[in-house]
């Protein structure tokens, strides 16, 4: 792992951390935690250059939503009612995305949380029992760049960095 991954793995209270650096197979192994994911679809390309500067040996997977490719984790991490949580992602968009789910748990109807992208808007939402409680967005500047996206929820307010 990299210095960055080591730092993330040492975070107190972390539930899961995935590198998504597999070279083959269908399992997205957890670097921290017991929840593994499953790569699905023909739009999964392994062994791509990693997104973190200073981590030249790291690889990542490319998920093409047009083919499609995705990672599923099953029914975990509800964060119901006003439970605190944080989601952190490193992403690089290719500019062709329209209405893409980047990271989600459930749907807004019935409760859940999600990070979605539809050029040029990145949206983070959290909902409880069908009503959107909080939302935040970045409207432009995301195409073809590497972005570190952090979305903490403290039980009252959802933020996006």
């Amino acid at each position: 792992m990299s210095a960055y991954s080591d730092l993330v793995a040492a975070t107190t209270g972390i539930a899961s951390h995935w590198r998504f650096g597999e070279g083959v197979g269908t399992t997205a192994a957890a670097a921290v935690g017991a929840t593994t994911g499953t790569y699905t679809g023909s739009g999964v390309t392994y062994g791509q250059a990693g997104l973190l500067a200073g981590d030249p040996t790291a690889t990542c997977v490319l998920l093409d939503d047009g083919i499609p490719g995705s990672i599923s984790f099953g029914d975990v991490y509800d964060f119901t009612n006003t439970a605190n949580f944080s989601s952190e992602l490193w992403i690089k968009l290719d500019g062709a995305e329209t209405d893409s789910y980047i990271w989600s748990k459930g749907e807004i109807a019935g409760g859940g949380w999600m990070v979605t992208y539809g050029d040029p808007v990145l949206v983070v939402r959290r909902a409880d029992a069908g009503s959107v409680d909080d939302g935040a967005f970045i409207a432009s500047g995301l195409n073809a760049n590497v972005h570190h996206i952090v979305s903490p929820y403290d039980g009252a307010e959802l933020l996006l960095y």
Side-chain angles (χ1 to χ4, degrees):
M1 291 204 291
S2 69
Y4 174 79
S5 284
D6 292 343
L7 182 64
V8 171
T11 302
T12 301
I14 189 170
S16 293
H17 168 56
W18 301 275
R19 290 280 312 218
F20 305 124
E22 288 80 16
V24 295
T26 58
T27 300
V32 174
T35 301
T36 60
T38 303
Y39 294 106
T40 59
S42 57
V44 178
T45 306
Y46 301 97
Q48 300 297 298
L51 300 181
L52 298 178
D55 193 5
T57 61
T59 61
C60 65
V61 295
L62 169 68
L63 300 175
D64 187 332
D65 67 329
I67 295 181
S70 65
I71 308 168
S72 173
F73 294 94
D75 189 15
V76 296
Y77 304 124
D78 288 327
F79 303 113
T80 56
N81 300 319
T82 56
N84 298 350
F85 73 92
S86 179
S87 173
E88 182 175 348
L89 308 164
W90 287 88
I91 62 171
K92 183 176 180 183
L93 304 166
D94 67 10
E97 292 81 5
T98 57
D99 300 323
S100 299
Y101 281 80
I102 296 174
W103 190 248
S104 67
K105 165 56 178 159
E107 299 288 335
I108 290 298
W113 51 272
M114 61 188 61
V115 178
T116 61
Y117 180 77
D119 188 19
V121 180
L122 179 85
V123 177
V124 176
R125 289 194 170 142
R126 180 207 168 272
D128 181 28
S131 63
V132 175
D133 293 335
D134 296 288
F137 66 91
I138 296 173
S140 63
L142 294 177
N143 292 346
N145 295 309
V146 174
H147 298 281
H148 181 208
I149 297 170
V150 181
S151 301
Y153 178 71
D154 66 3
E157 184 176 23
L158 178 68
L159 300 173
L160 174 62
Y161 298 100

